[in-house]
Amino acid sequence: MNFLAAPARLSTANATFEAEFKARLHWSAEADTAIEKTVADILADVQQRGDAAVLEYTNRFDGLSAASLAELELTQAELKAAFDTIPAAQRDALQAAAARVRSYHEAQKKASGESWSYRDADGTLLGQKVTPLDRVGIYVPGGKAAYPSSVLMNAIPAHVAGVAEIIMVVPTPRGEKNALVLAAAYVAGVTRAYTIGGAQAVAALAYGTATIPNVHKITGPGNAYVAAAKRRVFGTVGIDMIAGPSEILVLADGTTPPDWVAMDLFSQAEHDELAQSILLCPDAGYIAQVQASIDRLLNEMPRAEIIAKSLSGRGALIHTRSMEEACEISNRIAPEHLEVSSTDPHRWEPLLKHAGAIFLGAYTSESLGDYCAGPNHVLPTSGTARFSSPLGVYDFQKRSSIIEVSRAGAQLLGPIAAELAYGEGLQAHARAAEMRLNPK
Amino acid sequence: MNFLAAPARLSTANATFEAEFKARLHWSAEADTAIEKTVADILADVQQRGDAAVLEYTNRFDGLSAASLAELELTQAELKAAFDTIPAAQRDALQAAAARVRSYHEAQKKASGESWSYRDADGTLLGQKVTPLDRVGIYVPGGKAAYPSSVLMNAIPAHVAGVAEIIMVVPTPRGEKNALVLAAAYVAGVTRAYTIGGAQAVAALAYGTATIPNVHKITGPGNAYVAAAKRRVFGTVGIDMIAGPSEILVLADGTTPPDWVAMDLFSQAEHDELAQSILLCPDAGYIAQVQASIDRLLNEMPRAEIIAKSLSGRGALIHTRSMEEACEISNRIAPEHLEVSSTDPHRWEPLLKHAGAIFLGAYTSESLGDYCAGPNHVLPTSGTARFSSPLGVYDFQKRSSIIEVSRAGAQLLGPIAAELAYGEGLQAHARAAEMRLNPK
């Protein structure tokens, strides 16, 4: 079968650009009332009946016939056995990737995740103590999108943060276990793992059951049921984010081999028909070359059908007036992945305000970042890079403010606090401050 | 009228302690289906009809009769006028508090909110770029709990982060404007302000209307409708947290004047009947002294009725076997405010794992921290300190990973990425990595 990928061809010089651009970008995670109702029921049921409910839903939805939840635990021996049975090249790749991801996140912790404090002139100590979460849950999708790399990207930052217990859940539809996922859990040092998924797994992690310990935060992507469940348990536990379809935006100055750019666009498109791949370039001739590369390379790809649907349905090749304008448009999109495919990427990088990850230069294919460069591949999607960040060590830490007011400091601060407290009608606050003034 | 405050008297040595302790702690924000439905309808209506819907709800719920949303804008001149008309002592207190809060948050930004990067051995650049959010919304409650200090605590970290536009919303039931809130908005440098509130204000900020610009994150506390609305718009915009009732826990070694501790317990209890004040102390005699102080001081307080209800309904004086045990119990509670009322607070601080803010030593009353010590008073409640942090500069920043793989780096990383990508069935990812190997 021959597939055709026809991304929209837009030009910022056209009067119709704004409308076409907006239409192409539009994506909305419509809240599905039926899913919401189902998820609310599952959460309530698991909260009430615990293990029994999780077992029933798992057997029903994943086609299993387990007799107890304990049967669904993956032992450490089983994780190690999976690691031992995969090909040596895969073992080496997993370990090399894990080492680089660990090293990057250690640098991240050092740069922005350490406790700090100072004393001000009147001897008052101020600061923040940074501590790890005690126990976290990692949701790993099963079925068609089972990504061992995601196990590393979720578990390693938690480890680096100092989280003592990492509980992994991964559904195994019809009992099929993915050896590479299990091996990744072994490499990443997951504490306990269960073959459960869906809203029932989120509920088990959030509320705890007799078998599954409750956690304090749940990270990791999942389908619409998992997303709805995470949104509902938010507050009882922390969650990372609600992920939408994956996106790549390539800003090209026309100097990168067009085949490379075409393949980078494919690598996003192959995830999912809803994934979005966009090229922004001021050189119309280059855009035509990339389209020619797309046409030539597409049918070599095993996932050509998904790629073609994604590129034709949501992709775009946008001709801009300049690289500066391309940067502006990129900021409007706030893409998850942003490649600056240019011989002079550091010229453009300062103009880029919103993106999950910025890949600089022709050699930095997104795929290198996805697996092993070191930075996290769990990134904000659907424009949420305007207000959120890649998954990181900071997601597995929390902060406590530290305040130690000296006797001298209390004399200085007391009247200020009392004035404002009286202004707010909170007299006990005021009196508490005043009692510390000139004590015997 | 004479009020009595009778906090529960528990002792860890009693066999019934666990059950009594759990019963006292229990608090659950039951999802109220009626509120959820109302909020969903308001959000949908504002998303569709914009200004007109916000105007209608505001007039209806706040008893106003504005003809347009523009009428509900508070001009900069109005904010300044409020500042000019409040008493000089309040002006000075606001400015002194603002200066200290700013200084603390600047230290916070320097300690944990700056961009960082490094080059590894093969020349690959890795790091994170930290940038401010463009535009944020601050929700300030009106009515009975209108706190100007909260305006400072939300707006100043946003400013320090570098947020260009800070949009404040504050409802004015029956048109009553709080001059101190307006003055605080002036001092904190709020960009634009509107007298709207409730779910309709959250919707306006999240989706934008003709008059009100959409923001990228909404912070600040509110009632059950505001909380439900924030939960629903989460994903479209960022939110800070869903706040529960306020709490204080005092760990006392028996050396602080009992009146001080009693007043600190009051200062939490006076917020709200659902607020929780707990004292943990290994000295039974001291606990009796604190109860005596409570009995003596209570009826001097203008808010004695709320204090009595809060302490009797949710308060507890807990006799522990030791300070170490008191620290353990504190970790189980993960309180919002944690006072270590001891002559040797640094002995106990390292044992304290989960708390929003830790106040060390007898002089550090929570009220000093609430208003002007410097750290933020927006803190995680209801045990969420297990996984979340005080509001801070980091809430108004986001991070973009930076990756620049060198040609040499691509040769090293390519085979690792390709191996894992093939293992995941993502051939375009693999090919994208392989294309960078030994290029012409």
Side-chain angles (χ1 to χ4, degrees):
Chain A
M1 183 146 176
N2 226 25
F3 295 103
L4 268 179
R9 294 286 280 270
L10 309 182
S11 169
T12 56
N14 286 349
T16 52
F17 174 73
E18 274 299 320
E20 290 167 342
F21 176 67
K22 279 183 187 155
R24 202 57 355 195
L25 275 192
H26 181 76
W27 177 81
S28 107
E30 294 301 333
D32 180 317
T33 316
I35 291 181
E36 288 210 13
K37 174 80 174 75
T38 304
V39 165
D41 290 346
I42 293 174
L43 295 187
D45 197 17
V46 171
Q47 197 167 13
Q48 206 170 358
R49 295 196 300 129
D51 277 358
V54 176
L55 185 67
E56 277 175 35
Y57 290 118
T58 302
N59 282 340
R60 189 191 315 166
F61 297 139
D62 292 342
L64 306 184
S65 53
S68 76
L69 214 49
E71 261 184 49
L72 300 179
E73 180 159 2
L74 291 162
T75 63
Q76 290 294 332
E78 198 167 354
L79 301 184
K80 180 168 190 315
F83 178 76
D84 290 336
T85 53
I86 60 173
Q90 285 190 346
R91 278 204 300 271
D92 293 346
L94 270 182
Q95 286 186 311
R100 290 193 62 100
V101 171
R102 192 174 299 119
S103 157
Y104 174 84
H105 287 86
E106 279 164 359
Q108 183 180 67
K109 183 182 181 188
K110 206 165 171 181
S112 55
E114 303 285 359
S115 302
W116 56 274
S117 66
Y118 64 98
R119 278 194 193 274
D120 69 12
D122 44 83
T124 291
L125 177 77
L126 299 169
Q128 277 195 323
K129 168 156 96 163
V130 181
T131 46
L133 274 60
D134 280 346
R135 192 161 54 234
V136 302
I138 292 178
Y139 190 97
V140 177
K144 68 168 180 172
Y147 298 141
S149 54
S150 290
V151 177
L152 303 185
M153 293 294 181
N154 279 273
I156 290 172
H159 252 299
V160 171
V163 172
E165 291 182 71
I166 303 171
I167 316 293
M168 181 177 99
V169 293
V170 55
T172 51
R174 296 161 310 282
E176 287 165 26
K177 294 174 187 170
N178 182 315
L180 207 47
V181 165
L182 271 53
Y186 173 74
V187 169
V190 160
T191 318
R192 293 171 75 173
Y194 298 90
T195 58
I196 59 175
Q200 58 276 17
V202 173
L205 291 171
Y207 307 126
T209 70
T211 303
I212 297 172
N214 74 311
V215 301
H216 303 127
K217 187 163 192 169
I218 301 174
T219 69
N223 63 18
Y225 291 88
V226 172
K230 281 171 69 183
R231 182 186 292 273
R232 280 196 170 256
V233 298
F234 171 59
T236 301
V237 298
I239 63 170
D240 51 345
M241 59 182 82
I242 308 285
S246 198
E247 317 135 17
I248 191 172
L249 189 149
V250 181
L251 270 177
D253 65 4
T255 58
T256 303
D259 280 6
W260 297 15
V261 167
M263 195 57 69
D264 291 354
L265 298 174
F266 285 1
S267 74
Q268 204 51 233
E270 75 175 341
H271 272 297
D272 182 353
E273 289 165 19
L274 285 176
Q276 185 157 54
S277 301
I278 292 178
L279 171 67
L280 290 169
C281 178
D283 178 346
Y286 183 76
I287 291 178
Q289 289 177 51
V290 171
Q291 179 67 60
S293 293
I294 289 173
D295 295 340
R296 185 165 39 75
L297 294 167
L298 177 64
N299 284 288
E300 298 177 11
M301 306 311 301
R303 296 166 80 94
E305 184 170 3
I306 295 173
I307 294 171
K309 281 194 182 155
S310 162
L311 289 181
S312 301
R314 302 206 69 222
L317 310 180
I318 304 178
H319 181 219
T320 60
R321 294 183 184 86
S322 63
M323 282 294 280
E324 284 81 357
E325 188 186 47
C327 291
E328 280 167 34
I329 292 175
S330 173
N331 285 332
R332 288 177 58 188
I333 296 175
E336 183 190 10
H337 305 96
L338 172 50
E339 283 188 6
V340 186
S341 215
S342 157
T343 47
D344 196 9
H346 291 280
R347 179 169 166 202
W348 311 117
E349 186 276 316
L351 304 185
L352 300 167
K353 290 164 63 178
H354 310 303
I358 303 176
F359 302 80
L360 299 172
Y363 281 99
T364 316
S365 71
E366 189 214 302
S367 64
L368 298 181
D370 280 348
Y371 290 105
C372 56
N376 211 290
H377 80 194
V378 182
L379 299 169
T381 58
S382 313
T384 59
R386 284 185 194 83
F387 56 85
S388 52
S389 303
L391 191 70
V393 172
Y394 35 77
D395 286 298
F396 299 101
Q397 296 176 318
K398 30 70 179 190
R399 294 161 183 272
S400 303
S401 299
I402 299 285
I403 315 176
E404 181 179 31
V405 177
S406 63
R407 186 186 160 123
Q411 312 312 303
L412 181 80
L413 297 178
I416 301 170
E419 183 67 38
L420 293 172
Y422 283 124
E424 293 184 352
L426 295 177
Q427 298 87 359
H429 283 69
R431 288 285 304 280
E434 287 171 343
M435 281 176 161
R436 270 81 175 184
L437 296 177
N438 307 310
K440 284 166 286 197
Chain B
M1 184 147 178
N2 225 26
F3 295 102
L4 269 178
R9 295 286 280 271
L10 309 182
S11 169
T12 55
N14 287 348
T16 52
F17 174 74
E18 274 299 320
E20 291 167 342
F21 176 68
K22 280 185 187 153
R24 195 78 329 206
L25 275 193
H26 181 76
W27 177 81
S28 110
E30 295 300 334
D32 181 318
T33 316
I35 291 181
E36 288 210 15
K37 173 80 176 74
T38 305
V39 165
D41 290 347
I42 294 175
L43 295 186
D45 198 17
V46 170
Q47 197 167 12
Q48 203 169 359
R49 294 196 302 127
D51 276 358
V54 176
L55 186 65
E56 278 175 33
Y57 290 118
T58 302
N59 282 339
R60 189 192 313 167
F61 297 139
D62 292 342
L64 306 184
S65 52
S68 74
L69 214 49
E71 262 182 48
L72 299 179
E73 180 158 3
L74 291 162
T75 63
Q76 290 294 331
E78 199 167 352
L79 301 183
K80 180 169 189 317
F83 178 76
D84 290 338
T85 54
I86 60 174
Q90 284 190 346
R91 278 204 298 274
D92 293 348
L94 271 182
Q95 286 186 310
R100 289 193 61 100
V101 172
R102 193 173 298 119
S103 157
Y104 174 83
H105 287 86
E106 278 163 1
Q108 183 178 67
K109 183 182 180 189
K110 207 165 168 182
S112 54
E114 304 285 0
S115 302
W116 54 275
S117 67
Y118 63 98
R119 279 196 192 272
D120 68 14
D122 43 82
T124 291
L125 177 77
L126 299 169
Q128 277 195 323
K129 168 155 98 164
V130 181
T131 47
L133 273 61
D134 279 346
R135 191 159 57 234
V136 303
I138 292 178
Y139 190 97
V140 178
K144 68 169 178 170
Y147 298 141
S149 55
S150 290
V151 178
L152 303 184
M153 292 295 181
N154 279 272
I156 290 173
H159 252 300
V160 170
V163 172
E165 290 182 73
I166 301 171
I167 316 293
M168 181 176 98
V169 294
V170 56
T172 52
R174 298 160 309 281
E176 287 165 27
K177 292 173 188 171
N178 182 315
L180 207 48
V181 165
L182 272 52
Y186 173 74
V187 169
V190 160
T191 318
R192 294 172 75 173
Y194 298 90
T195 59
I196 59 174
Q200 59 276 15
V202 173
L205 291 171
Y207 307 127
T209 70
T211 303
I212 296 171
N214 75 311
V215 301
H216 303 128
K217 187 164 191 168
I218 301 173
T219 70
N223 63 18
Y225 292 87
V226 172
K230 281 171 69 184
R231 184 186 291 275
R232 278 196 172 257
V233 299
F234 170 60
T236 301
V237 299
I239 63 171
D240 52 344
M241 59 183 82
I242 308 286
S246 198
E247 318 135 16
I248 190 172
L249 189 148
V250 182
L251 270 178
D253 64 6
T255 58
T256 303
D259 280 7
W260 296 15
V261 167
M263 196 56 71
D264 291 354
L265 298 174
F266 285 2
S267 73
Q268 203 52 233
E270 74 175 341
H271 273 297
D272 182 351
E273 292 165 16
L274 285 177
Q276 184 157 55
S277 301
I278 293 177
L279 171 66
L280 289 170
C281 178
D283 178 346
Y286 183 76
I287 291 177
Q289 289 178 50
V290 171
Q291 179 66 60
S293 293
I294 289 173
D295 295 341
R296 183 164 40 75
L297 294 168
L298 178 65
N299 284 289
E300 297 177 13
M301 306 312 302
R303 296 167 79 93
E305 184 171 2
I306 295 172
I307 294 171
K309 281 194 183 153
S310 161
L311 288 182
S312 301
R314 302 206 69 222
L317 310 180
I318 304 178
H319 180 219
T320 59
R321 294 184 183 87
S322 63
M323 282 293 281
E324 285 81 358
E325 189 187 48
C327 291
E328 280 167 34
I329 293 174
S330 174
N331 285 332
R332 287 178 57 186
I333 296 174
E336 182 188 10
H337 304 97
L338 171 51
E339 284 188 6
V340 185
S341 215
S342 158
T343 47
D344 196 9
H346 290 279
R347 179 170 166 202
W348 310 117
E349 185 275 318
L351 304 185
L352 300 166
K353 289 164 63 178
H354 310 303
I358 302 175
F359 302 78
L360 299 172
Y363 281 98
T364 314
S365 72
E366 188 213 302
S367 64
L368 299 180
D370 280 349
Y371 290 105
C372 57
N376 211 290
H377 79 194
V378 181
L379 298 169
T381 58
S382 311
T384 58
R386 284 185 195 84
F387 57 84
S388 53
S389 303
L391 191 69
V393 172
Y394 35 77
D395 286 299
F396 300 101
Q397 297 176 317
K398 33 58 180 200
R399 295 161 183 272
S400 302
S401 300
I402 299 284
I403 315 174
E404 182 180 32
V405 177
S406 63
R407 186 187 158 121
Q411 311 314 304
L412 182 79
L413 297 178
I416 302 171
E419 182 68 37
L420 293 172
Y422 283 124
E424 293 184 351
L426 295 176
Q427 298 86 0
H429 283 69
R431 287 285 305 278
E434 288 171 342
M435 280 175 161
R436 270 80 174 184
L437 297 175
N438 307 309
K440 285 166 285 197

